[in-house]
Coordinates of all heavy atoms in Angstrom, one line a residue:
L416 N 6.0 16.9 5.9 CA 6.8 15.9 6.4 C 6.2 14.4 6.2 O 7.0 13.5 5.7 CB 7.0 16.0 7.9 CG 8.1 17.0 8.3 CD1 8.1 17.2 9.8 CD2 9.5 16.6 7.9
F417 N 5.0 14.3 6.4 CA 4.4 12.9 6.3 C 4.5 12.5 4.9 O 4.9 11.3 4.6 CB 2.9 13.0 6.7 CG 2.1 11.8 6.3 CD1 2.3 10.6 6.9 CD2 1.2 11.8 5.2 CE1 1.6 9.5 6.6 CE2 0.5 10.8 4.8 CZ 0.6 9.5 5.5
Y418 N 4.2 13.3 3.8 CA 4.3 12.9 2.4 C 5.7 12.7 2.0 O 6.0 11.8 1.1 CB 3.5 13.8 1.5 CG 2.0 13.7 1.7 CD1 1.3 14.5 2.4 CD2 1.4 12.6 1.1 CE1 -0.2 14.4 2.6 CE2 0.0 12.4 1.3 CZ -0.7 13.3 1.9 OH -2.0 13.0 2.1
A419 N 6.7 13.4 2.5 CA 8.1 13.3 2.2 C 8.6 12.0 2.8 O 9.4 11.3 2.0 CB 8.9 14.4 2.8
I420 N 8.2 11.6 3.9 CA 8.7 10.4 4.5 C 8.1 9.2 3.7 O 8.8 8.2 3.4 CB 8.2 10.3 6.0 CG1 9.0 11.3 6.9 CG2 8.4 8.9 6.6 CD1 8.4 11.5 8.3
W421 N 6.8 9.3 3.5 CA 6.2 8.2 2.7 C 6.8 8.0 1.3 O 7.1 7.0 0.8 CB 4.7 8.4 2.6 CG 3.9 7.6 1.7 CD1 3.3 7.9 0.6 CD2 3.9 6.1 1.7 NE1 2.8 6.8 -0.1 CE2 3.2 5.7 0.6 CE3 4.4 5.1 2.6 CZ2 2.9 4.3 0.3 CZ3 4.1 3.8 2.4 CH2 3.4 3.4 1.2
G422 N 7.1 9.2 0.7 CA 7.7 9.2 -0.6 C 9.1 8.5 -0.6 O 9.4 7.8 -1.5
S423 N 9.9 8.9 0.4 CA 11.2 8.3 0.5 C 11.1 6.8 0.7 O 11.9 6.0 0.0 CB 11.9 8.9 1.7 OG 12.2 10.3 1.5
I424 N 10.2 6.3 1.5 CA 10.0 4.9 1.8 C 9.6 4.3 0.4 O 10.1 3.2 0.0 CB 9.0 4.6 2.9 CG1 9.7 5.1 4.2 CG2 8.7 3.1 3.0 CD1 8.8 5.0 5.4
R425 N 8.5 4.7 -0.1 CA 8.0 4.1 -1.3 C 8.9 4.1 -2.5 O 9.0 3.2 -3.3 CB 6.7 4.8 -1.7 CG 6.0 4.1 -2.9 CD 4.7 4.8 -3.2 NE 4.2 4.2 -4.5 CZ 4.6 4.6 -5.7 NH1 5.5 5.4 -5.9 NH2 4.1 4.0 -6.8
G426 N 9.7 5.3 -2.6 CA 10.7 5.4 -3.7 C 11.7 4.3 -3.6 O 12.1 3.7 -4.6
Y427 N 12.2 3.9 -2.4 CA 13.2 2.9 -2.2 C 12.7 1.6 -2.6 O 13.2 0.8 -3.4 CB 13.7 2.9 -0.9 CG 14.6 1.7 -0.6 CD1 15.9 1.6 -1.1 CD2 14.1 0.5 0.1 CE1 16.6 0.5 -0.9 CE2 14.9 -0.6 0.3 CZ 16.1 -0.6 -0.2 OH 17.0 -1.7 -0.1
V428 N 11.4 1.3 -2.1 CA 10.8 0.0 -2.5 C 10.5 -0.2 -3.9 O 10.8 -1.3 -4.5 CB 9.5 -0.3 -1.6 CG1 8.8 -1.6 -2.0 CG2 9.9 -0.2 -0.1
V429 N 10.0 0.8 -4.6 CA 9.8 0.8 -6.0 C 11.0 0.5 -6.7 O 11.1 -0.3 -7.7 CB 9.1 2.1 -6.5 CG1 9.2 2.2 -8.0 CG2 7.7 2.2 -6.0
K430 N 12.1 1.1 -6.2 CA 13.5 0.9 -6.9 C 13.9 -0.6 -6.9 O 14.3 -1.1 -7.9 CB 14.6 1.8 -6.3 CG 15.9 1.6 -6.9 CD 17.0 2.5 -6.3 CE 16.7 4.0 -6.6 NZ 17.8 4.9 -6.1
I431 N 13.7 -1.2 -5.7 CA 14.1 -2.6 -5.7 C 13.1 -3.6 -6.5 O 13.6 -4.6 -7.0 CB 14.3 -3.1 -4.2 CG1 12.9 -3.1 -3.6 CG2 15.4 -2.4 -3.6 CD1 13.1 -3.6 -2.1
V432 N 11.8 -3.0 -6.6 CA 10.9 -3.8 -7.5 C 11.4 -3.7 -9.0 O 11.4 -4.6 -9.7 CB 9.5 -3.4 -7.3 CG1 8.6 -4.0 -8.3 CG2 9.1 -3.7 -5.9
I433 N 11.7 -2.5 -9.3 CA 12.1 -2.2 -10.7 C 13.2 -3.0 -11.1 O 13.3 -3.6 -12.2 CB 12.4 -0.7 -11.0 CG1 11.1 0.1 -10.8 CG2 13.1 -0.5 -12.3 CD1 11.4 1.6 -10.9
Y434 N 14.3 -3.2 -10.3 CA 15.4 -3.9 -10.6 C 15.2 -5.4 -10.3 O 16.1 -6.2 -10.5 CB 16.6 -3.4 -9.7 CG 17.0 -2.1 -10.2 CD1 16.9 -0.9 -9.5 CD2 17.8 -2.0 -11.5 CE1 17.3 0.3 -10.0 CE2 18.2 -0.7 -11.9 CZ 17.9 0.4 -11.2 OH 18.4 1.6 -11.6
G435 N 14.0 -5.8 -10.0 CA 13.6 -7.2 -9.8 C 14.5 -8.0 -8.6 O 14.7 -9.1 -8.8
K436 N 14.8 -7.2 -7.7 CA 15.7 -7.8 -6.6 C 14.8 -8.2 -5.3 O 15.4 -8.8 -4.4 CB 16.7 -6.8 -6.1 CG 17.7 -6.6 -7.3 CD 18.8 -5.6 -6.8 CE 19.8 -5.3 -7.9 NZ 20.8 -4.4 -7.5
L437 N 13.5 -8.1 -5.4 CA 12.7 -8.2 -4.2 C 12.7 -9.8 -3.8 O 12.7 -10.0 -2.6 CB 11.3 -7.8 -4.5 CG 10.5 -7.6 -3.2 CD1 11.1 -6.5 -2.3 CD2 9.1 -7.1 -3.6
Y438 N 12.8 -10.6 -4.8 CA 12.8 -12.1 -4.4 C 14.1 -12.7 -4.3 O 14.1 -14.0 -4.1 CB 11.9 -12.8 -5.4 CG 10.4 -12.5 -5.2 CD1 9.7 -11.7 -6.1 CD2 9.7 -13.1 -4.1 CE1 8.4 -11.5 -5.9 CE2 8.4 -12.8 -4.0 CZ 7.7 -12.1 -4.8 OH 6.3 -11.9 -4.6
E439 N 15.1 -12.1 -4.5 CA 16.5 -12.7 -4.5 C 16.8 -13.1 -3.0 O 16.9 -12.2 -2.2 CB 17.5 -11.8 -5.1 CG 17.4 -11.6 -6.6 CD 18.5 -10.7 -7.1 OE1 19.5 -10.5 -6.4 OE2 18.4 -10.3 -8.3
E440 N 17.0 -14.3 -2.8 CA 17.4 -14.8 -1.5 C 18.7 -14.2 -1.0 O 18.8 -14.0 0.3 CB 17.5 -16.3 -1.5 CG 16.1 -17.0 -1.8 CD 15.1 -16.7 -0.8 OE1 15.4 -16.6 0.5 OE2 13.9 -16.6 -1.1
D441 N 19.6 -14.0 -1.8 CA 20.9 -13.5 -1.4 C 21.0 -11.9 -1.3 O 22.0 -11.3 -1.2 CB 22.0 -14.0 -2.1 CG 21.9 -13.6 -3.7 OD1 20.9 -13.2 -4.1 OD2 22.9 -13.8 -4.3
N442 N 19.9 -11.3 -1.6 CA 19.9 -9.9 -1.7 C 19.5 -9.3 -0.3 O 18.3 -9.5 0.1 CB 18.9 -9.4 -2.7 CG 18.7 -7.8 -2.7 OD1 19.8 -7.1 -2.7 ND2 17.6 -7.3 -2.8
P443 N 20.3 -8.6 0.4 CA 20.0 -8.1 1.7 C 19.1 -6.9 1.7 O 19.5 -5.8 2.2 CB 21.4 -7.8 2.3 CG 22.2 -7.4 1.1 CD 21.6 -8.2 -0.1
W444 N 18.0 -7.0 1.0 CA 17.2 -5.7 0.8 C 16.7 -5.2 2.1 O 16.7 -3.9 2.2 CB 16.0 -6.1 -0.1 CG 14.8 -6.6 0.6 CD1 14.6 -7.9 0.8 CD2 13.8 -5.9 1.1 NE1 13.3 -8.1 1.4 CE2 12.8 -6.9 1.7 CE3 13.4 -4.5 1.2 CZ2 11.7 -6.5 2.3 CZ3 12.3 -4.2 1.9 CH2 11.3 -5.2 2.4
E445 N 16.4 -6.0 3.0 CA 15.9 -5.5 4.3 C 17.0 -4.6 5.0 O 16.7 -3.5 5.6 CB 15.4 -6.5 5.2 CG 14.7 -6.0 6.5 CD 14.1 -7.1 7.4 OE1 14.5 -8.3 7.2 OE2 13.5 -6.7 8.4
S446 N 18.3 -5.1 4.9 CA 19.3 -4.4 5.6 C 19.5 -3.1 4.9 O 19.8 -1.9 5.5 CB 20.7 -5.1 5.5 OG 21.1 -5.3 4.2
R447 N 19.3 -2.9 3.5 CA 19.4 -1.7 2.8 C 18.2 -0.8 3.1 O 18.3 0.4 3.2 CB 19.3 -2.1 1.2 CG 20.6 -2.8 0.8 CD 20.5 -3.1 -0.7 NE 21.7 -4.0 -1.1 CZ 21.9 -4.4 -2.3 NH1 21.0 -4.1 -3.3 NH2 22.8 -5.1 -2.6
Y448 N 17.0 -1.4 3.3 CA 15.9 -0.7 3.8 C 16.2 0.1 5.1 O 15.8 1.2 5.3 CB 14.7 -1.6 3.9 CG 13.4 -0.8 4.3 CD1 12.4 -0.8 3.3 CD2 13.2 -0.3 5.6 CE1 11.2 -0.1 3.6 CE2 12.0 0.4 5.9 CZ 11.0 0.4 5.0 OH 9.8 1.1 5.3
K449 N 16.9 -0.7 6.0 CA 17.2 -0.1 7.3 C 18.1 1.1 7.2 O 18.0 1.9 8.0 CB 17.8 -1.2 8.2 CG 16.8 -2.3 8.7 CD 17.5 -3.3 9.6 CE 16.6 -4.4 10.1 NZ 17.3 -5.5 10.8
V450 N 19.0 1.1 6.2 CA 19.8 2.3 5.9 C 18.9 3.5 5.6 O 19.1 4.5 6.2 CB 20.8 2.0 4.8 CG1 21.6 3.3 4.5 CG2 21.8 0.9 5.3
V451 N 17.9 3.3 4.7 CA 17.0 4.3 4.4 C 16.2 4.8 5.7 O 16.0 5.9 6.0 CB 16.0 3.9 3.3 CG1 15.0 5.0 3.0 CG2 16.9 3.6 2.0
E452 N 15.8 3.8 6.3 CA 15.0 3.9 7.6 C 15.9 4.8 8.6 O 15.3 5.8 9.2 CB 14.7 2.6 8.2 CG 13.7 2.6 9.4 CD 13.5 1.2 9.9 OE1 12.8 0.5 9.2 OE2 14.0 0.8 10.9
R453 N 17.0 4.5 8.8 CA 17.9 5.2 9.8 C 18.1 6.6 9.2 O 18.2 7.6 10.0 CB 19.2 4.5 10.0 CG 19.1 3.2 10.8 CD 20.5 2.8 11.3 NE 21.3 2.4 10.2 CZ 21.5 1.2 9.7 NH1 20.8 0.3 10.3 NH2 22.2 0.9 8.8
G454 N 18.3 6.8 7.9 CA 18.4 8.1 7.4 C 17.3 9.0 7.6 O 17.4 10.2 7.9
I455 N 16.1 8.5 7.4 CA 14.9 9.3 7.7 C 14.7 9.7 9.1 O 14.4 10.8 9.4 CB 13.6 8.4 7.2 CG1 13.6 8.3 5.7 CG2 12.4 9.2 7.7 CD1 12.6 7.4 5.2
L456 N 15.0 8.7 10.0 CA 14.9 9.0 11.4 C 15.9 10.0 11.8 O 15.6 10.9 12.7 CB 15.0 7.7 12.2 CG 13.7 6.7 12.1 CD1 14.1 5.4 12.7 CD2 12.5 7.4 12.7
S457 N 17.2 9.9 11.3 CA 18.2 10.8 11.6 C 17.8 12.2 11.1 O 18.0 13.2 11.9 CB 19.5 10.3 11.0 OG 20.5 11.2 11.2
A458 N 17.2 12.3 10.0 CA 16.9 13.6 9.5 C 15.7 14.1 10.4 O 15.7 15.5 10.5 CB 16.3 13.4 8.0
L459 N 14.8 13.3 10.8 CA 13.7 13.9 11.7 C 14.3 14.5 13.0 O 13.8 15.5 13.4 CB 12.8 12.8 12.0 CG 11.7 12.5 11.0 CD1 10.8 11.2 11.4 CD2 10.8 13.7 10.7
S460 N 15.2 13.8 13.5 CA 15.8 14.3 14.8 C 16.9 15.4 14.6 O 17.3 16.0 15.6 CB 16.5 13.1 15.5 OG 17.6 12.6 14.8
S461 N 17.2 15.8 13.4 CA 18.3 16.7 13.3 C 17.9 17.9 12.3 O 18.8 18.6 11.8 CB 19.6 16.1 12.8 OG 19.4 15.5 11.5

Side-chain angles (χ1 to χ4, degrees):
L416 277 174
F417 169 74
Y418 285 104
I420 291 166
W421 170 242
S423 293
I424 292 171
R425 184 180 174 278
Y427 172 73
V428 175
V429 166
K430 181 178 288 187
I431 60 176
V432 170
I433 290 173
Y434 288 107
K436 295 181 178 179
L437 199 57
Y438 283 109
E439 291 182 13
E440 294 297 327
D441 60 346
N442 176 48
W444 84 271
E445 188 177 7
S446 64
R447 295 180 184 178
Y448 183 109
K449 286 180 180 178
V450 172
V451 175
E452 187 177 289
R453 287 195 297 270
I455 291 171
L456 290 169
S457 175
L459 279 177
S460 65
S461 61

